[in-house]
Amino acid sequence: MKGRKVLICSDSVSALYSIQSGSSHTFRRRCVSHSRRFIGENTEVVGEQSLTPELRLRLFTPSCRFWTERPELWPYEDPYWAIYWPGGQALSRFLLDHPAVCRGQTVLDLGSGCGASAIAAILCGAAHVVANDIDPMAAVATHMNSELNGLQPPVCLTHNIMGSPPAAFHLILLGDMFYDQSLATSLHSWLNRCMETHGTKVLIGDPGRAQFEEHAIRRLLRPLAQFELPDSVREENYGLSCSGVWSYTPEL
C-alpha cells in the first residue's frame, strides 16, 4: 500500500520486549494493546487454504476491510505480515515434514512477517527461536499467531539484524526475501559471514521470482523440496504455481 501514514503509536510497538518502568511502560502497553485490537479487527483467522493447514494465522482476506480500502487510509507500514507468502509456506511445510531439521537447534526466522516459519520451528522442537522483522506490527502479529496455535511466542526483534555482527544461530530461515536485487545482495554477504563465523545452516523458501532466479546466490543453492501451491494461493500470487525450499551451500 502506498500513500500511507504512520501513527506515532506504531513506533513504540518495537519496544514490546524492552519495556521499562513508569509512564513509558504504560504508553507502550497501550500501543501494543491498540495494535493487537487493530490486527484483530482487520484480519481473519485462516488455516486450511495453504500448504500448512495445521497452522492458524491472522491474515488479510477478501472479506477484510483493507483488502479493497483506499491505501492512504492504512495507518501503518505496508502490511507484509498480513500475507502468508508462498516462499514462507514452502519453508514452513518443509520444517513440519522434517522436524529433525530444527529440533534442539537455535533458529532465526529472518524477515519473519506473520511468524509462520518461526511457529513451525517451535512446533518442531527448536531449542530457541527468534523472529526478526523490521516492522513492529509483525512482532505483534507473530505473538497473536503463536497464541492462536497454543504456543509461547518466539523472541521478536524489530531492528535490522543484518546491520549487526554475524548471528550465532544453528539455522537461519528466509522466506520470500529475494524480492529485491539490492536486498538479495546484502543477504548474500551477511549469510556468508554467519556461515563462516558460526557454521550456520541456511534454508531459503521462494516461488521462483525473477529476482531470485537471476541472482548470483541461485547457483549456490541445493534444492530440497518443491510444493504445488493451492489454487487460492496461486490466485493471490499472479499465477505462481509452485514454491520450493533450498539449502544454501557456498561450497558448490
Side-chain angles (χ1 to χ4, degrees):
M1 294 183 182
K2 304 301 180 185
R4 63 199 179 258
K5 58 182 179 179
V6 181
L7 296 178
I8 186 172
C9 194
S10 67
D11 294 331
S12 299
V13 178
S14 61
L16 179 59
Y17 306 103
S18 58
I19 292 173
Q20 300 173 0
S21 60
S23 60
S24 61
H25 171 93
T26 302
F27 176 69
R28 288 166 180 156
R29 295 289 291 183
R30 286 175 179 171
C31 288
V32 171
S33 177
H34 176 275
S35 300
R36 289 178 65 95
R37 183 170 63 252
F38 185 88
I39 291 173
E41 292 173 351
N42 291 284
T43 59
E44 283 192 330
V45 176
V46 177
E48 295 181 359
Q49 300 195 13
S50 75
L51 288 176
T52 57
E54 60 266 60
L55 298 185
R56 302 176 71 223
L57 303 168
R58 282 203 162 274
L59 304 171
F60 277 168
T61 71
S63 60
C64 294
R65 171 191 170 194
F66 283 99
W67 188 271
T68 55
E69 187 62 272
R70 300 199 314 274
E72 61 270 21
L73 296 180
W74 178 257
Y76 296 100
E77 297 291 338
D78 290 348
Y80 297 114
W81 52 265
I83 306 293
Y84 194 11
W85 301 97
Q89 291 197 31
L91 197 53
S92 300
R93 181 70 270 157
F94 181 80
L95 294 180
L96 292 169
D97 288 346
H98 303 88
V101 170
C102 54
R103 184 180 297 127
Q105 306 291 293
T106 55
V107 180
L108 170 65
D109 183 7
L110 184 63
S112 50
C114 67
S117 293
I119 290 170
I122 294 171
L123 286 170
C124 292
H128 181 66
V129 179
V130 173
N132 176 230
D133 196 297
I134 59 172
D135 185 351
M137 287 292 282
V140 180
T142 295
H143 258 234
M144 295 176 70
N145 288 331
S146 298
E147 293 164 4
L148 269 177
N149 290 279
L151 300 173
Q152 286 293 320
V155 174
C156 293
L157 303 178
T158 58
H159 66 280
N160 182 1
I161 202 169
M162 288 193 299
S164 305
F169 290 92
H170 294 119
L171 177 65
I172 295 178
L173 308 172
L174 300 99
D176 304 280
M177 288 291 284
F178 289 85
Y179 56 85
D180 176 84
Q181 193 74 11
S182 61
L183 174 60
T185 299
S186 297
L187 278 169
H188 191 179
S189 175
W190 186 76
L191 290 172
N192 279 342
R193 295 199 303 274
C194 292
M195 297 181 79
E196 291 168 1
T197 305
H198 303 292
T200 304
K201 295 180 180 179
V202 178
L203 296 181
I204 295 171
D206 196 274
R209 296 184 182 88
Q211 298 92 328
F212 175 70
E213 294 292 341
E214 296 168 4
H215 197 273
I217 198 175
R218 181 65 181 82
R219 70 177 186 274
L220 304 176
L221 303 181
R222 179 169 60 91
L224 298 179
Q226 191 84 353
F227 301 96
E228 289 191 12
L229 296 170
D231 290 341
S232 60
V233 180
R234 297 186 188 196
E235 293 171 6
E236 294 171 2
N237 289 275
Y238 305 102
L240 291 170
S241 60
C242 297
S243 191
V245 177
W246 287 264
S247 173
Y248 181 35
T249 51
E251 65 272 14
L252 284 177

